[in-house]
Amino acid sequence: MYKGGRIIASLVFVVALLSLPFFYNMGKGNKGPVINLNTSAILQLADKQCVEPTEWMRANHMKLLLQWREEAVRMGKTEYINSQGKSFKISLQTCLHCHYDPALNTSDQFCVSCHNYTAVKPNCWSCHTWPKEAGK
Amino acid sequence: MSLNRRRFLRKAGMVTALGLGGTFVITGLRGKVEASEYETPQQGLVAKRWAMVVDMSKFKTKEDYNRVIEACHSVHNVPGLGNPKDEIKWIWNEDYEHAFTSQNNRYMKESVKNHPFIVLCNHCENPPCVRACPTEATFQRPDGIVDMDFHRCIGCRFCMAACPYGARSFNFRDPRPFIKEINPDFPTRTLGVVEKCNFCVERLEKGLMPACVEKSKGGLIFGDLDDPRSEVRKIVSSQYTIRRKPELGTQPSVYYLVGGGDLV
Ligand code: SF4
Ligand code: SF4
């Protein structure tokens, strides 16, 4: 092979370079986000369920929030009756009432830690407020 | 094993069909919305056509004006930017000459001419701002309130050009640092979004009167113009009231009672 040694050396180098991120992240991944479900409001709940069953919320919370927004802002329907007939006020503050933990930093709050982990950047908080920011 | 072109295409097609079918099954299962419903809150105040009467005889001192302005601006997180160029306002003072441009005669009673009027969005029956908005961020509710969905506003400012009353303000700067005390129950706005008075839809749905009305000591009267027994309707049909620029045909829902007392 013409200049075989160099070709093989370069190939090895390129493969090593491309796999660098893999080695760099080895053992670090898959720790998962730290999700805090121990706020005082959640601990007091007899039936520890979000507005809908957890599995469903995990997959569909973003769709539900978008629909909440349409119904509340455009239709004036600010009450949500869930699949079990329980009613909730449509507001991000309803979510925060359970999921916000005043003892934690913003970056460790329920929704932020998971969105950071999955690199999702919702822009809710550019207008809606954390309880902590209020009154400042 | 060598694939000829025909066999390769057939296999690729089968795999694609399988994949598409699979995602359909999965999203079909997960995306299924459970039996849930949306309702308007029971304690909310409802009307066919919300309207406001401003009784000018009740606005005498600076305090009378500032009290209602402050009530509105604090619950709605309206920033105090401190300069008229960037100013955001939902309800404010305007002199007679600028509020009632076409009803202006040279030798008018001085007390009227120099007396500031309280102005806000008129929640027009034929709102030009709604027609101008390309995204339907500004829309008219069935009860007559011209509301905004800030999520949809793209900041084109067509509505500001369309509104003949200057009722809309644009956020040229990030408003958050200029809000004295944030009310978490109402959103703030961001840079590049238009805002204006919303007749306190968020309070009406809780059964409360608008914030300015509550603090006006009777200077602002709010109710259903469609209901013959309502106070606003009684005033409008029995006393002399004026509206801003009625000749434009927008049919404002804010009426000014100017013969109500000794002042004007
Ligand atoms: S006063 Fe201006 S902003 Fe308000 S409804 Fe009329 S046109 Fe629209
Ligand atoms: S600035 Fe916003 S509300 Fe006004 S017309 Fe444009 S999108 Fe509509």
Side-chain angles (χ1 to χ4, degrees), chain A residues 52-53 55-56 59-60 63-64 67-85 89-91 93 123-131 133-136, chain B residues 27 30-43 77 135-139 141-142 147-152 176 179-190 205-206:
Chain A
E52 293 289 354
E55 276 305 311
W56 192 87
N60 297 298
K63 289 185 201 158
L64 183 75
Q67 191 165 356
W68 273 26
R69 168 179 118 184
E70 295 292 295
E71 299 281 349
V73 179
R74 306 194 74 88
M75 308 294 170
K77 297 194 171 171
T78 51
E79 242 173 65
Y80 178 70
I81 319 282
N82 77 359
S83 50
Q84 288 118 37
K89 183 175 185 291
I90 294 185
S91 163
Q93 302 300 325
N123 52 9
C124 313
W125 310 110
S126 45
C127 289
H128 295 276
T129 341
W130 297 101
E133 283 170 302
K136 96 175 169 205
Chain B
T27 47
R30 280 204 317 195
K32 208 176 117 229
V33 183
E34 325 225 348
S36 55
E37 277 170 63
Y38 292 86
E39 276 174 16
T40 44
Q42 279 185 346
Q43 71 274 30
N77 295 324
T135 62
E136 289 179 28
T138 293
F139 61 99
R141 309 194 336 159
D147 196 6
M148 279 192 70
D149 182 349
F150 299 121
H151 302 102
R152 281 206 197 180
R176 276 224 177 156
I179 303 171
K180 255 183 274 154
E181 199 175 306
I182 294 181
N183 168 17
D185 293 325
F186 199 79
T188 69
R189 270 69 62 197
T190 54
E205 85 192 15
K206 289 187 197 137

Side-chain angles (χ1 to χ4, degrees), chain B residues 132-135 137-138 148 152-159 168 194:
Chain B
C133 180
T135 62
T138 293
M148 279 192 70
R152 281 206 197 180
C153 177
I154 54 171
C156 66
R157 289 179 274 160
F158 287 4
C159 57
R168 297 174 158 265
V194 164

